[in-house]
Amino acid sequence: MTGTRDIECEPLSREEFAPFGDVIECKSSPDKLINAGRCGRHHDLARLDFGPNGRAGISIFDSESCSLPFIVDLLERHPDGSQAFIPMTLTRFLVVVSETQYARPRAFLTELGQGINFMRGTWHAVLSPLSEPGLFLVVDRIGNTSNLEEYHLPNPWRVVPNAVTTNC
C-alpha cells in the first residue's frame, strides 16, 4: 500500500448527492397532512430499486463509530439493488462515494435527521457513524445473489477534518 491521499468533507445536499443517490430528509413542508391533520407526510423520498427477482428487506445495522481523520481503504457497491441508511438516533455520519472504484471519492457529512439512499451500483465506503450508538435502519435488496462487490484500494484516501466537520 502506498501513500494516503486526502479528501475533505462537504455538506450533504440533495443536489450534490444526486449522481450517487438520494438524501432522505424532511422537505420544507409536508406533501400532505394525514392522521386527521396531526401528521405531515413527506412522500416518496428515495428511488428504491430491488432489481429483478429481488424484494425489499428491512434490517438494522449496529456499527462501530469512527472519527476523523478516517481512512477509506475499501469501496463496495451493490449491483443488484439500492441501499438506504436511516439513522435510528440523532447522529451524524460520513458518506463517502465515488463514480468508479478508481475515481477520486467525495466525502459528505450528514446533518442530524438526514439519511441516504445509494442508487444501484454506486461505489461507497463502509457505514461510518461519528458517534455511538451507530444504529441504522437499512432498506435494501433481498434475493438469491450476494449483491455485493468490494474493491480494496491500493492507495487509500483519508477524510480529513475541515470547517464542515468542526462540530463533530
Side-chain angles (χ1 to χ4, degrees):
M1 184 170 10
T2 59
T4 305
R5 303 159 292 170
D6 290 350
I7 53 176
E8 293 186 350
C9 280
E10 51 191 293
L12 181 65
S13 71
R14 291 178 194 270
E15 298 76 25
E16 293 298 317
F17 195 69
F20 310 103
D22 308 296
V23 175
I24 301 170
E25 65 183 343
C26 289
K27 300 172 187 172
S28 58
S29 62
D31 296 296
K32 60 183 168 180
L33 293 176
I34 60 173
N35 297 340
R38 295 187 58 224
C39 180
R41 180 174 175 150
H42 300 263
H43 185 70
D44 198 20
L45 299 176
R47 297 166 285 173
L48 301 177
D49 174 3
F50 305 113
N53 303 314
R55 65 175 178 82
I58 295 178
S59 304
I60 294 177
F61 286 17
D62 186 2
S63 177
E64 293 180 5
S65 65
C66 68
S67 60
L68 297 175
F70 178 71
I71 301 298
V72 177
D73 57 4
L74 172 70
L75 293 177
E76 63 180 44
R77 71 177 181 167
H78 308 281
D80 296 333
S82 60
Q83 189 176 47
F85 290 85
I86 300 111
M88 295 179 69
T89 61
L90 286 179
T91 187
R92 297 172 84 186
F93 60 105
L94 291 176
V95 181
V96 179
V97 290
S98 187
E99 291 178 10
T100 72
Q101 68 270 45
Y102 309 109
R104 178 184 183 85
R106 292 177 71 182
F108 294 95
L109 181 63
T110 65
E111 290 296 327
L112 297 178
Q114 286 182 319
I116 57 97
N117 177 56
F118 294 123
M119 289 189 305
R120 179 198 307 208
T122 298
W123 287 99
H124 61 89
V126 299
L127 181 58
S128 307
L130 294 171
S131 62
E132 300 285 342
L135 290 174
F136 289 79
L137 182 120
V138 177
V139 180
D140 63 356
R141 181 183 193 278
I142 305 297
N144 292 330
T145 62
S146 68
N147 194 29
L148 174 66
E149 293 178 19
E150 294 181 333
Y151 181 73
H152 293 273
L153 298 169
N155 299 310
W157 293 92
R158 179 176 55 195
V159 180
V160 294
N162 64 0
V164 172
T165 61
T166 55
N167 293 327
C168 292

